[in-house]
Amino acid sequence: AQKVTQAQTEISVVEKEDVTLDCVYETRDTTYYLFWYKQPPSGELVFLIRRNSFDEQNEISGRYSWNFQKSTSSFNFTITASQVVDSAVYFCALSERRNTGKLIFGQGTTLQVKP
Amino acid sequence: GAVVSQHPSRVICKSGTSVKIECRSLDFQATTMFWYRQFPKQSLMLMATSNEGSKATYEQGVEKDKFLINHASLTLSTLTVTSAHPEDSSFYICSASGGADQETQYFGPGTRLLVL
């Protein structure tokens, strides 16, 4: 069965610290997509990244970086030099090709960055 | 990037009334739209998937007569909560996929529904 696990419910860091949000997934499909979304207090989900199962190359976008490892079924997200504006709930999600694009969400990790 | 709007952002209604929520893709044609419900401090729960011009596919446990979904055009889907009750109070979020990026869902800002 498909499943996404974000074991960290809440993380609190001080500004400028680096922080890694963990995501572990389960799927029987060989073709799938992984996503990260950010949900600030306003409520809107902001798309951050999509990775397909055939592309294990790590990605960096500014202070954000993602580490995709199929061997451990993980898709971790690191924020470097965190800022107060990074405070939000972050969701990892899985989409299977054969499942009409439905997203399976993790429970979310609440990140609080203190000044 | 792809922009999805939702209206209204907040609604308060009396028990027994119906509430309609609109979801629009502003700069792309959304072949598929999704409706989610989110309770405080919880993850998103998929309610239904709708494709333009066809009936919505509801997730197990979601009453289709209670939550009416219409996807009449490639840019508009509506969710109507019929005969709303206090337990229907929640945060409803829509998403859309289509256009150049078929695999990514872009989310609207959500609608907070409070039923008194």
Side-chain angles (χ1 to χ4, degrees):
Chain A
Q2 319 95 310
K3 186 178 178 182
V4 176
T5 302
Q6 294 179 254
Q8 304 149 307
T9 306
E10 293 185 14
I11 300 176
S12 182
V13 299
V14 176
E15 209 170 17
K16 296 184 183 177
E17 283 185 19
D18 298 347
V19 58
T20 296
L21 309 182
D22 298 333
C23 173
V24 175
Y25 63 92
E26 294 176 30
T27 178
R28 290 170 296 184
D29 259 8
T30 54
T31 302
Y32 54 88
Y33 297 88
L34 295 164
F35 302 81
W36 275 96
Y37 287 89
K38 173 183 180 180
Q39 187 177 38
S42 60
E44 179 175 1
L45 264 80
V46 178
F47 166 70
L48 296 178
I49 190 171
R50 183 191 86 203
R51 258 288 173 267
N52 74 51
S53 52
F54 298 110
D55 182 1
E56 283 192 76
Q57 198 169 14
N58 292 330
E59 177 140 348
I60 298 175
S61 176
R63 295 183 299 106
Y64 295 170
S65 63
W66 291 269
N67 185 298
F68 176 29
Q69 292 197 349
K70 288 180 76 171
S71 61
T72 55
S73 296
S74 65
F75 186 42
N76 297 336
F77 172 31
T78 297
I79 301 175
T80 304
S82 59
Q83 300 176 2
V84 173
V85 293
D86 295 328
S87 298
V89 181
Y90 291 85
F91 289 99
C92 179
L94 165 72
S95 168
E96 293 178 338
R97 260 291 195 179
R98 62 182 178 88
N99 212 10
T100 66
K102 289 199 297 187
L103 285 175
I104 310 297
F105 281 92
Q107 285 305 106
T109 297
T110 300
L111 174 64
Q112 183 182 32
V113 182
K114 298 178 181 177
Chain B
V3 180
V4 177
S5 71
Q6 222 173 304
H7 179 79
S9 57
R10 292 175 182 271
V11 58
I12 301 174
C13 69
K14 292 183 179 179
S15 188
T17 60
S18 294
V19 175
K20 180 185 280 190
I21 303 170
E22 290 187 351
C23 178
R24 293 181 185 273
S25 56
L26 298 185
D27 53 0
F28 67 102
Q29 293 190 322
T31 49
T32 307
M33 285 184 165
F34 304 82
W35 286 96
Y36 295 84
R37 184 173 180 177
Q38 185 180 32
F39 291 104
K41 298 190 183 299
Q42 292 190 23
S43 189
L44 283 77
M45 181 189 80
L46 179 65
M47 299 174 67
T49 303
S50 75
N51 292 292
E52 184 262 340
S54 60
K55 289 184 179 179
T57 302
Y58 289 81
E59 294 299 299
Q60 195 171 9
V62 178
E63 300 174 59
K64 60 181 181 182
D65 295 330
K66 172 79 172 172
F67 299 100
L68 300 178
I69 291 171
N70 184 280
H71 191 164
S73 77
L74 282 172
T75 59
L76 173 64
S77 176
T78 60
L79 167 67
T80 302
V81 183
T82 61
S83 187
H85 287 94
E87 57 266 29
D88 298 323
S89 299
S90 190
F91 188 54
Y92 293 89
I93 315 174
C94 72
S95 70
S97 63
D101 183 356
Q102 297 280 339
E103 306 298 342
T104 300
Q105 289 183 33
Y106 294 93
F107 285 80
T111 297
R112 295 192 186 278
L113 171 63
L114 176 61
V115 185
L116 302 176

